[in-house]
Amino acid sequence: MATALLSSALAITVGIAACIVAPSATQPRPDYLSVTQYGLIGLIANAASGAGEIMSLLNGMAAAIFGLIAVLALIAASFGVLLYAVGRGLRHLRHGRDSSRPPSR
């Protein structure tokens, strides 16, 4: 359980840090090339730029989903620890009084 809590907390911390930290070396956006001037090379370069933007969008969505999964994992691990603690407490209560003997007067 400690490993689950630690890894969940680490995943949340890294996820938050990745969302907060701005990219330091952002590349300038490439200008779209004129297809009439550059022909097929311009068309391929423009398609690659568009594909890069789509991949960037999917990367952002995946980061958000993994952040949500990390939060859910932390909640589940915390709930598991709570259930474990309650179960240990109930077991100690049950063993404290022996139910096989009739109550003494």
Side-chain angles (χ1 to χ4, degrees), residues 3 8 13 16 30 35 42 52 66 74 84 100-101:
T3 305
S8 297
T13 304
I16 290 172
V35 178
F66 284 141
L74 181 64
Y84 177 76
S100 63
R101 293 185 298 165

Side-chain angles (χ1 to χ4, degrees), residues 24-74:
S24 59
T26 56
Q27 304 235 349
R29 284 190 142 173
D31 293 331
Y32 287 104
L33 300 176
S34 171
V35 178
T36 57
Q37 183 178 359
Y38 294 102
L40 184 60
I41 299 299
L43 183 65
I44 292 173
N46 292 343
S49 295
E53 294 295 322
I54 291 172
M55 289 300 180
S56 177
L57 173 71
L58 292 176
N59 183 29
M61 289 173 46
I65 290 170
F66 284 141
L68 179 65
I69 289 172
V71 169
L72 291 176
L74 181 64

